[in-house]
Amino acid sequence: MSPTETPEDAAALVLFSGGQDSTTCLAWALDRFARVETLGFDYGQRHAVELACRTTILEQMRAHFPNWGARLGADHLLDLRTLGAVSHTAMTETVAIETMANGLPNTFVPGRNLLFFTFAAALGHRRGLHALVGGMCETDYSGYPDCRDATLRALETAINLGTLGQFTLQTPLMWLDKARIWALADELGGPALTEIIIDHSHTCYLGERGKRWEWGYGCGSCPACMLRANGWQGWTAMRT
Ligand code: ZN
């Protein structure tokens, strides 16, 4: 962020997948920045449902939060199917989700967040968006090394060296657990935002949209659903 910019007039680009975390990040950015644009990637995810959720969530945000809607600018979707082509993972192929010999789940797409932020910087440079916001989280993460704060701090340095830019990589969820991410959404947008996240954000690795739980749609048993459900229970406990 340059010295002449204040957080209020700075502009942000949010990595927005249509999941719970990135939807919460989008609300966080809309609460802070005068101008916010969103960026999604099509990298051959097994389930196009996640990409469809993005559009619905943006519509719902505009409908329920006019102040945020006034700040919400263009949505960008980049074709990164090359990433799916070079990585064999359970995110992009029809294989069972399991833990690999190195301890990482086979949903791991190597270096995905490095690429996502690098593309975000390229787009942000062109559009004057210097706060790059992502929902990476080290607390409840699945062991993905590209979600770690140390990884992203190093990437921020590399991006700024490589672009002569003044980007900040902002990760408001980094030190929150899933219960506190539900709580943050409630702080930012109250029940209306929580309802949007429950009904329209998508987390389930299996792409299940038929079954609705109190925390939203999903199979209820894949690692992503379990994290989301456990977080909901934790947040319920926090309120009682
Ligand atoms: Zn699931």
Side-chain angles (χ1 to χ4, degrees):
M1 197 171 291
S2 77
T4 55
E5 283 179 328
T6 63
E8 289 72 30
D9 61 26
L13 181 60
V14 179
L15 300 181
F16 180 55
S17 70
Q20 176 187 356
D21 293 348
S22 69
T23 303
T24 306
C25 279
L26 175 58
W28 179 88
L30 288 166
D31 192 51
R32 275 163 184 75
F33 295 95
R35 185 163 63 93
V36 176
E37 298 188 9
T38 45
L39 172 60
F41 300 97
D42 179 355
Y43 54 100
Q45 294 96 318
R46 295 201 300 187
H47 307 289
V49 59
E50 196 175 287
L51 296 178
C53 285
R54 299 175 74 258
T55 309
T56 308
I57 291 166
L58 293 172
E59 288 169 1
Q60 291 285 320
M61 291 285 223
R62 287 191 170 93
H64 290 276
F65 299 97
N67 291 346
W68 289 354
R71 299 171 170 198
L72 187 53
D75 178 41
H76 311 268
L77 187 65
L78 293 183
D79 182 349
L80 276 194
R81 274 175 287 183
T82 309
L83 178 60
V86 298
S87 58
H88 297 282
T89 83
M91 290 294 275
T92 55
E93 295 181 13
T94 309
V95 296
I97 295 165
E98 55 190 29
T99 302
M100 300 184 292
N102 61 6
L104 289 171
N106 64 349
T107 49
F108 176 57
V109 181
R112 178 174 57 171
N113 290 323
L114 307 182
L115 285 171
F116 285 3
F117 268 124
T118 304
F119 274 99
L123 180 66
H125 187 79
R126 177 159 62 82
R127 299 191 59 84
L129 308 163
H130 293 111
L132 309 178
V133 182
M136 298 78 193
C137 171
E138 195 167 310
T139 310
D140 259 351
Y141 78 145
S142 303
Y144 298 169
D146 59 338
C147 289
R148 290 182 299 190
D149 191 56
T151 303
L152 298 177
R153 297 283 71 80
L155 181 62
E156 181 180 75
T157 301
I159 284 174
N160 284 324
L161 285 170
T163 61
L164 291 179
Q166 292 168 318
F167 292 102
T168 58
L169 271 52
Q170 307 208 12
T171 51
L173 312 185
M174 182 58 74
W175 308 113
L176 302 181
D177 61 22
K178 285 284 182 191
R180 286 183 173 77
I181 293 170
W182 282 111
L184 175 61
D186 185 57
E187 277 169 35
L188 290 165
L193 181 59
T194 301
E195 285 299 316
I196 290 172
I197 290 171
I198 290 171
D199 284 331
H200 303 294
S201 77
H202 185 78
T203 303
C204 177
Y205 283 149
L206 302 182
E208 171 69 50
R209 294 294 293 174
K211 194 181 285 183
R212 187 191 190 280
W213 312 76
E214 54 186 355
W215 44 264
Y217 291 90
C219 71
S221 54
C222 77
C225 280
M226 303 252 291
L227 267 181
R228 181 161 164 156
N230 289 340
W232 176 268
Q233 282 158 13
W235 185 49
T236 303
M238 282 165 66
R239 286 178 293 162
T240 53

